[in-house]
Amino acid sequence: MSDSQNMGTVSPQQPDSVVEVSAELNNQPLSYDIVVSLGTDYHKFDRLIEWIESYLLSHPTVTCLCQHGFTEGTEHATKNVDRMPRSELLKIYEAAKVVIVQGGPGSILDAREVGVIPIAVPRLAEFDEVVDNHQVQFSQVMEDNGEAFIATDAGDLAQKIDDALTHPQKYLGSRRVPGADKASENLSAELGSLSQGQASHDIRKFVRRWRQVLRGIIQP
């Protein structure tokens, strides 16, 4: 959940009702069919919440933990939390059948660290979900490298959730190399430069560089 901080888009103000997982999830199951993480970006991400709500309404037996940050959670989730310690979230990722994240570097790489290939939904600047469209570009690079599956609309997301529940091994991969935090920082720095338009004249050049960085982050 560190991508928005790396991209410089996190508001210094935290949610009013911060929920610590160790307290709020006490006596709650730590294994869910679906885990959704919107990260800590202060922009609302209602679009993804609406997609999740639609799926849960039509699949009432599916359990779901939703870490929703500054966006209002989904009414039909088994559990909603504003945020939680990263270490606890990664444990829940490992036990989940499906992991759905915003399409930022930290969110996707966190899932990859525990061997999960997440379904990624990039935030879009045109909907005021993020300051720029770096998540679109990054998510595409990750999907091209087999490190994420992009969902583009509610129907696409529902199909991918069903696929993950039916074929869980397809959404598992090797763990990210331990101690690669510096590599993650370098990747985020590249994305930051791109978001500022420094490489807008040659996106392909930066895609190649992202892939080089990814090869240093992800186990072959």
Side-chain angles (χ1 to χ4, degrees):
M1 297 194 298
S2 58
D3 47 282
S4 54
Q5 184 175 6
N6 290 332
M7 296 305 302
T9 60
V10 171
S11 167
Q13 183 181 9
Q14 295 296 336
D16 293 335
S17 56
V18 171
V19 178
E20 294 295 340
V21 68
S22 57
E24 184 65 15
L25 293 182
N26 189 33
N27 298 323
Q28 293 289 335
L30 292 181
S31 178
Y32 298 88
D33 295 322
I34 301 173
V35 176
V36 182
S37 176
L38 272 60
T40 57
D41 194 297
Y42 66 91
H43 294 83
K44 303 292 186 181
F45 201 4
D46 294 330
R47 183 166 55 96
L48 176 52
I49 291 295
E50 290 170 0
W51 295 359
I52 296 296
E53 181 75 1
S54 176
Y55 186 86
L56 294 177
L57 276 170
S58 60
H59 298 78
T61 63
V62 171
T63 59
C64 176
L65 171 71
C66 181
Q67 180 274 310
H68 53 84
F70 286 83
T71 305
E72 186 175 348
T74 170
E75 180 181 351
H76 290 82
T78 309
K79 198 68 183 179
N80 286 293
V81 295
D82 293 327
R83 66 184 179 97
M84 61 177 63
R86 177 177 177 273
S87 60
E88 297 291 344
L89 182 60
L90 295 190
K91 290 178 183 177
I92 295 173
Y93 280 176
E94 284 190 277
K97 296 179 181 178
V98 186
V99 175
I100 302 167
V101 299
Q102 63 168 347
S107 295
I108 295 177
L109 293 174
D110 276 354
R112 293 299 297 113
E113 182 169 324
V114 295
V116 172
I117 300 177
I119 299 172
V121 179
R123 292 173 180 259
L124 299 177
E126 50 264 44
F127 298 140
D128 197 28
E129 297 168 344
V130 69
V131 295
D132 54 61
N133 281 330
H134 71 274
Q135 290 196 4
V136 175
Q137 297 155 334
F138 179 78
S139 296
Q140 188 62 59
V141 172
M142 293 299 278
E143 184 175 66
D144 289 346
N145 283 268
E147 305 299 341
F149 296 93
I150 298 174
T152 57
D153 56 43
D156 186 29
L157 178 61
Q159 289 179 358
K160 285 183 167 65
I161 293 174
D162 287 343
D163 185 49
L165 292 173
T166 305
H167 306 99
Q169 292 301 315
K170 180 179 176 180
Y171 293 78
L172 297 175
S174 59
R175 292 171 180 261
R176 183 157 60 92
V177 175
D181 289 349
K182 184 60 179 177
S184 298
E185 292 174 4
N186 291 341
L187 178 56
S188 294
E190 294 284 359
L191 288 162
S193 297
L194 180 62
S195 69
Q196 296 167 13
Q198 296 178 11
S200 58
H201 65 287
D202 192 358
I203 296 296
R204 286 176 297 179
K205 173 183 176 182
F206 267 66
V207 168
R208 287 196 299 269
R209 295 180 67 177
W210 292 345
R211 286 173 173 163
Q212 291 170 2
V213 175
L214 285 170
R215 282 194 289 271
I217 293 175
I218 307 296
Q219 289 184 344

